[in-house]
Amino acid sequence: MTQKDPTLPVDDEARHLAKKLMRTARSGALATNGADEGMPFASLVAVGTDLDGSPVILTSQLSVHTRLLAADGRCSMLLSAIGKGDPLAHPRLTLLARAERIEPGSDKAQQIRRRYLLQHPKAALYVDFPDFAFWRLNVASGSLNGGFGRAYRMAREDLLTDLSAFPGFAELEAGAVEHMNEDHAEAVAYYATKLCGAREGAWRLIGIDPEGLQLALGDELQRLTFPQPLQGPDELRPMLVALARS
């Protein structure tokens, strides 16, 4: 007797949930391949995101998982929503990836550093230590559990944001984030409280991508997905204005 496949077809709701988990998780469980007898090694790491949503981590050469990633970049990361009650009742996402060390001082490292520190400002105390470096987890696939009876096998294309139509978006994002926080803090707060249903406070914009915004108040993160993805960089400003007016 053949066993029925318990997974559901991937739909837009599943993609939305998976991307929200990736963009709002502050930490994750990283599983690497152990050097001794091939036993897996799991560790808790702080997580940020690259522009397309790929997880990025900042590690020291003294960490066991850093040495293991250097020897074998294949890894897995578990991201989970935290809430009250049964922890298994909350959504979680397992990502299968290959880790890539980002050369310190490179343009890519500077881009990741800027975004990471917006999400983890306390990391500024050690981010530039010579034994620290960023790693980008190049996602191959994922497994989403959105709750009882809601399991999905997800391809890379289901999890990451397509940036092919957005050359130079990193510079556009950096300028827009700074401008909104300095000159339109009230609109940023409206995004969080009125459109995301978050509590009142001094919310800050910490990330923009073609599909939505990341907002932060202390350790609390919110994801605001655009009504429709941007088709080009010139649509960003009208989208921000329309959201504020809504």
Side-chain angles (χ1 to χ4, degrees):
M1 181 177 178
T2 58
Q3 188 175 5
K4 181 181 179 181
D5 187 349
T7 59
L8 300 172
V10 176
D11 54 18
D12 287 341
E13 183 180 357
R15 295 185 187 96
H16 172 81
L17 178 57
K19 290 179 178 181
K20 181 178 180 180
L21 283 170
M22 293 172 70
R23 299 278 187 176
T24 58
R26 300 185 63 250
S27 63
L30 175 70
T32 48
N33 290 304
D36 298 328
E37 301 179 359
M39 296 295 287
F41 183 85
S43 51
L44 182 67
V45 293
V47 182
T49 54
D50 202 353
L51 277 170
D52 65 353
S54 297
V56 294
I57 59 175
L58 176 65
T59 74
S60 166
Q61 292 179 3
L62 301 177
S63 301
V64 173
H65 52 258
T66 301
R67 298 196 296 271
L68 294 178
L69 287 177
D72 187 345
R74 293 175 300 169
C75 61
S76 178
M77 175 171 283
L78 172 64
L79 305 174
S80 177
I82 299 174
K84 297 180 180 180
D86 184 354
L88 297 183
H90 299 286
R92 60 265 192 197
L93 174 68
T94 298
L95 299 172
L96 304 181
R98 187 175 293 272
E100 171 193 3
R101 184 177 183 271
I102 307 300
E103 185 63 32
S106 64
D107 290 344
K108 185 62 176 177
Q110 292 303 311
Q111 174 188 313
I112 288 177
R113 179 185 185 278
R114 179 190 64 79
R115 301 188 91 250
Y116 187 90
L117 289 180
L118 287 173
Q119 184 165 338
H120 299 283
K122 293 181 180 178
L125 295 172
Y126 52 84
V127 66
D128 295 321
F129 285 3
D131 65 314
F132 276 79
F134 286 105
W135 292 77
R136 185 181 193 271
L137 303 191
N138 294 315
V139 174
S141 61
S143 177
L144 172 68
N145 189 320
F148 182 76
R150 296 176 59 204
Y152 305 86
R153 291 195 188 98
M154 311 194 77
R156 172 185 170 87
E157 294 74 21
D158 295 319
L159 298 163
L160 301 179
T161 301
D162 183 6
L163 295 175
S164 58
F166 299 88
F169 193 80
E171 292 77 12
L172 175 63
E173 183 215 25
V177 166
E178 182 178 6
H179 171 68
M180 291 300 294
N181 285 328
E182 289 186 358
D183 299 333
H184 301 286
E186 187 177 13
V188 172
Y190 284 159
Y191 296 156
T193 58
K194 304 301 182 184
L195 300 182
C196 296
R199 60 191 174 98
E200 298 284 341
W203 287 89
R204 293 184 62 80
L205 184 60
I206 63 169
I208 304 174
D209 61 85
E211 295 179 341
L213 310 175
Q214 286 168 276
L215 304 149
L217 176 61
D219 293 336
E220 184 178 349
L221 300 181
Q222 291 286 342
R223 171 70 171 172
L224 175 59
T225 302
F226 294 148
Q228 59 276 333
L230 305 180
Q231 299 301 309
D234 57 323
E235 294 186 3
L236 176 58
R237 185 178 182 280
M239 176 64 75
L240 294 175
V241 172
L243 289 173
R245 288 176 175 170
S246 69

